[in-house]
Amino acid sequence: MMGAMGNFDVLPDSVACLILSKLKNAQMVAQCAMVCHRWKMLSQLVDTLAFESFKLFEKKVDKNSKASCLEAIVTHMLLNTSGIRNLKISYHPVVWPWIPNDYFCEEKVCNWLRHVNMSLEQLTLVDPNRAKPQPEKLLRLSECKKLQWLNLCYGMIPEVPSSCQRFEQLRTLYLDLIAISDESLATLVDLSPLLEDLKVNSCKGLHSPNLSALNLASLEFANNLDVSTAMIHSVSVNAPKLVKVSLSHVEKLVIDGSALLELDLLCHVRADIRELPALTNLNIGGESWALDSLTHLIRLATNLCCLHVDAVIDWKYPVQIQSILHHLLELHSMHIGADFFECLQAGVGTGPLGISTMSLPRLASLSVVVGCGSHSCILVLSTLLKCAPMLHTLTIDAEDLRKSMDNITFFTDILGLQRDHPHVKVTLVCPNSLV
Ligand SMILES: *[C@@H]1O[C@H](CO)[C@@H](O)[C@H](O)[C@H]1NC(C)=O
Ligand SMILES: *[C@@H]1O[C@H](CO)[C@@H](O)[C@H](O)[C@H]1NC(C)=O
Ligand SMILES: *[C@@H]1O[C@H](CO)[C@@H](O)[C@H](O)[C@H]1NC(C)=O
Ligand SMILES: *[C@@H]1O[C@H](CO)[C@@H](O)[C@H](O)[C@H]1NC(C)=O
């Protein structure tokens, strides 16, 4: 640092300040501020500060209250700045067990927020408070009128104080590991008229949130059951501009899907959606799927480009492949996991849903996972190859083929398919036992 200082002296303030802002790490800024008067002055001009406990002292300090240690550093430095736009204060206890009641004092946090309330645009606050709600903090946050981007981690929001103002400029809201009620979440969303991006990660206390957000484009409920212990029963959203939804461990989704482009569902979701006319990407994975929920979604999505199904299906029964895929004229790439592939049956005859009426004119890339190398599986592959003239890659993952040693027919049949469709590059992943 000292070596660099000599060179920094010749830089104009504006440039030096820009470099200082890029440091982000508060400790480095602090060291700089100690070196000379000029840096002390410049430290007041930085607009970006990041205080991260694990970078600053996690390994060095071994006191009972680490939060108060970081608190002192933040107070000393932050209150000497003017015009902070991006602020990250992260006390993330990485040591287990956590020290109980080791979190920032609400009054201190309120002072920080008051100090930056004219300039703050982006805030990450990780404060491992699992003991009591701190409603004042929310009030101070709502007074930061330029706040556009907010990530809160830990804490409790059982209710939003009635005097909470609107988050007029807030576009992005990420909530991690917060104990929050359905009503509080809905109120926060109501108070944020410009909200475009909402991510709720492993928050406790949610049962059936019902959100209304006119500008919301992206919604994610990443529900890690290890941390939050309960499924979310349903998520209802009234958001006409919603283009991307990603859910995990949510039992039911109620939306108007008319603008939706991307839908990502991990673990069984019953979808109460009337139409998905614009959807291009559908990604279905995880446990406990009911086959009819899955096929319902695929049937709704008439404009699909990418379909990725890697779901564990609870009750498997045969479904005719053309009844599920015949409408997918835009489909470009498709992945079919083992369970879904096992359910698919090639149809017979040339009726309205017969093979000859199915066409996947744009399908270029197909991958399937084969668990059972039966004759019916070869028929399905053969059907797909016949109705997809643009197909150039077919990947068959037969690594978990059951009883594959008994059944060499499967592999000779695959070779037959390759012979009949020489323009398709077929890649076969064989079981280890076979090699
Ligand atoms: C701000 O910096 C001055 C020196 O420039 C120092 O005396 C003062 O203690 C600092 N303020 C805070 C709140 O730490
Ligand atoms: C910002 O904080 C100051 C005190 O530091 C306070 O006087 C002012 O009212 C606050 N601004 C808003 C918009 O609440
Ligand atoms: C969600 O709230 C709206 C009113 O804001 C209501 O009309 C709708 O029925 C609710 N949806 C559910 C599933 O409760
Ligand atoms: C082996 O091949 C036969 C004939 O193709 C098929 O009927 C049978 O289901 C296959 N067995 C396994 C375990 O894949």
Side-chain angles (χ1 to χ4, degrees), residues 259-423:
L260 208 60
L261 299 177
E262 262 181 69
L263 183 57
D264 244 305
L265 303 172
L266 187 67
C267 288
H268 180 230
V269 178
R270 261 179 310 125
D272 188 341
I273 304 175
R274 243 180 331 110
E275 49 169 6
L276 290 169
L279 197 74
T280 58
N281 289 53
L282 177 60
N283 193 345
I284 296 176
E287 310 277 317
S288 316
W289 277 91
L291 186 56
D292 60 348
S293 302
L294 197 159
T295 54
H296 174 64
L297 282 166
I298 298 174
R299 288 198 180 103
L300 284 178
T302 47
N303 196 41
L304 220 50
C305 295
C306 297
L307 173 63
H308 189 108
V309 180
D310 191 12
V312 178
I313 297 171
D314 276 359
W315 299 98
K316 278 175 264 185
Y317 53 85
V319 286
Q320 297 286 309
I321 186 167
Q322 53 273 38
S323 75
I324 295 173
L325 302 182
H326 74 99
H327 62 297
L328 298 180
L329 299 180
E330 298 298 320
L331 195 66
H332 185 268
S333 86
M334 173 160 67
H335 172 85
I336 306 179
D339 274 15
F340 189 40
F341 192 66
E342 209 175 316
C343 299
L344 295 180
Q345 300 277 307
V348 285
T350 53
L353 290 178
I355 297 169
S356 61
T357 61
M358 182 164 85
S359 166
L360 299 170
R362 287 171 193 258
L363 188 65
S365 148
L366 170 66
S367 74
V368 300
V369 182
V370 178
C372 168
S374 62
H375 185 59
S376 132
C377 141
I378 295 293
L379 278 181
V380 169
L381 285 175
S382 153
T383 303
L384 286 168
L385 281 162
K386 275 186 202 134
C387 65
M390 299 297 281
L391 194 72
H392 59 68
T393 2
L394 169 62
T395 306
I396 303 167
D397 179 348
E399 202 167 1
D400 295 327
L401 199 65
R402 292 191 286 275
K403 297 194 207 140
S404 56
M405 292 302 278
D406 307 341
N407 207 337
I408 293 305
T409 327
F410 173 73
F411 294 101
T412 48
D413 284 349
I414 297 286
L415 288 177
L417 286 179
Q418 174 70 92
R419 217 172 31 238
D420 294 346
H421 303 272
H423 59 288

Side-chain angles (χ1 to χ4, degrees), residues 190 208-212 234-238 252 254 272:
D190 280 345
S208 308
N210 182 359
L211 311 175
S212 190
S234 78
V235 170
S236 312
V237 193
N238 169 20
K252 188 178 171 194
V254 186
D272 188 341

